[in-house]
Amino acid sequence: MASELKDRVALVTGASSGIGRATAIALVEAGFRVALVARNLERLLEVSRELPADRFVVIAQDLTEFDQLADLVQTVETKLDPVDLLVNNAGVAYVAPLEQMPLSDWNQVMALNLTVPLALAQKVLPGMRQRQRGTIINIVSIAGQRTFPNWGAYCASKFGLLAFSRTLAEEVRGDGIRVTALCPGSVDTALWDSEHVKADFDRSAMLSADSVARLVVWAATLPPEAVLEEATLMPSRGAF
Ligand SMILES: NC(=O)c1ccc[n+]([C@@H]2O[C@H](COP(=O)([O-])OP(=O)(O)OC[C@H]3O[C@@H](n4cnc5c(N)ncnc54)[C@H](OP(=O)(O)O)[C@@H]3O)[C@@H](O)[C@H]2O)c1
């Protein structure tokens, strides 16, 4: 890793599982110090056992409690340093025909998948502008480019996240801040085990979380004059 990137601080949401877990570990291996955020403290601690003690902090927090996000970022900055890389990864799926989708489930999907990335970006952007550098990577999905029956809430949130990502990129590029939208196809993670996702797909044909993490690290460690604006990463053998 280039020496100017070494020791920089990354905040990874949803770091207790799947893509976020793999990303947090890969970023530490690449030289970042990482704040791992999710609700489940036990699982976060389990991930952190794989990491050297001086390279991370663990913060158990429900990110949809928006009034606590300022404190969250403040804690990261106090314990580590200002956030140079924000990985908006935490996400949830509720699967049902739109006609029957409870509004409470719809709101939960929108809150975590779409509003949290905005709220966190608003917390880290002032510092990034001041330093004239920073990277925000949004984990979108192939469901941000294509629609799937029964996945309407999830698709709407991810189409929204892609639009958010593209708009933000235009708004901040003048200050040397990079915004990346990564759209993976299906990834073999606990998302598919959720009681809210009733899907019986061939998990062996899905991407691994490690493959997505590699792309995150690659985008995050590009030279500062380059930005990966969007990427679609598909399983080579899977259907989507
Ligand atoms: N799996 C796929 O096929 C796939 C494909 C494309 C994109 N994605 C996207 O990739 C991202 C990660 O998904 P994944 O597949 O890795 O799923 P996952 O294994 O279920 O991980 C989801 C993460 O989000 C965290 N989370 C959920 N609700 C939260 C909340 N209210 N506050 C804070 N953290 C919360 C979970 O931790 P806690 O439960 O501990 O809070 C967990 O760490 C999501 O945005 C997903 O949409 C997934």
Side-chain angles (χ1 to χ4, degrees):
M1 172 181 239
S3 59
E4 75 269 14
L5 291 175
K6 200 160 166 37
D7 286 339
R8 290 210 178 155
V9 170
L11 191 168
V12 180
T13 68
S16 64
S17 169
I19 296 168
R21 174 187 188 281
T23 296
I25 292 170
L27 285 169
V28 169
E29 283 169 1
F32 284 83
R33 290 175 293 143
V34 179
L36 297 91
V37 184
R39 290 167 304 179
N40 189 310
L41 180 61
E42 273 310 303
R43 284 202 307 235
L44 285 171
L45 291 173
E46 214 176 285
V47 179
S48 73
R49 275 182 215 116
E50 301 192 27
L51 307 174
D54 59 340
R55 307 306 294 174
F56 69 89
V57 294
V58 152
I59 301 172
Q61 191 159 319
D62 184 336
L63 289 161
T64 62
E65 291 176 7
F66 294 105
D67 55 353
Q68 292 181 22
L69 295 184
D71 284 349
L72 167 70
V73 173
Q74 184 61 56
T75 304
V76 175
E77 303 208 343
T78 305
K79 293 196 171 170
L80 296 175
D81 263 325
V83 176
D84 197 65
L85 168 64
L86 168 63
V87 184
N88 278 317
N89 165 77
V92 70
Y94 281 74
V95 176
L98 283 169
E99 200 177 344
Q100 292 157 23
M101 169 67 61
L103 290 189
S104 55
D105 292 356
W106 171 276
N107 286 339
Q108 181 62 27
V109 173
M110 292 302 159
L112 186 63
N113 296 10
L114 186 54
T115 312
V116 166
L118 167 68
L120 281 176
Q122 288 178 339
K123 299 287 178 279
V124 300
L125 277 168
M128 288 181 174
R129 279 197 195 277
Q130 228 170 31
R131 297 186 298 281
Q132 293 283 290
R133 65 159 208 249
T135 305
I136 296 176
I137 298 180
N138 297 308
I139 305 300
V140 187
S141 168
I142 191 66
Q145 302 173 352
R146 289 168 50 186
T147 53
F148 302 92
N150 301 327
W151 287 74
Y154 186 74
C155 289
S157 74
K158 294 295 186 177
F159 269 69
L161 185 60
L162 186 56
F164 160 76
S165 211
R166 287 177 179 169
T167 311
L168 185 66
E170 289 174 31
E171 291 176 355
V172 301
R173 74 168 70 245
D175 281 314
I177 300 165
R178 310 184 296 187
V179 181
T180 299
L182 296 189
C183 297
S186 54
V187 188
D188 183 10
T189 69
L191 180 138
W192 299 98
D193 300 325
S194 156
E195 56 178 309
H196 311 298
V197 177
K198 293 162 198 86
D200 187 18
F201 297 116
D202 178 6
R203 301 265 288 258
S204 70
M206 294 183 178
L207 290 162
S208 72
D210 287 337
S211 294
V212 183
R214 276 175 70 173
L215 187 54
V216 175
V217 172
W218 188 80
T221 55
L222 280 172
E225 85 281 0
V227 57
L228 180 70
E229 291 187 332
E230 282 177 39
T232 304
L233 186 73
M234 294 301 287
S236 53
R237 291 184 300 121
F240 62 93

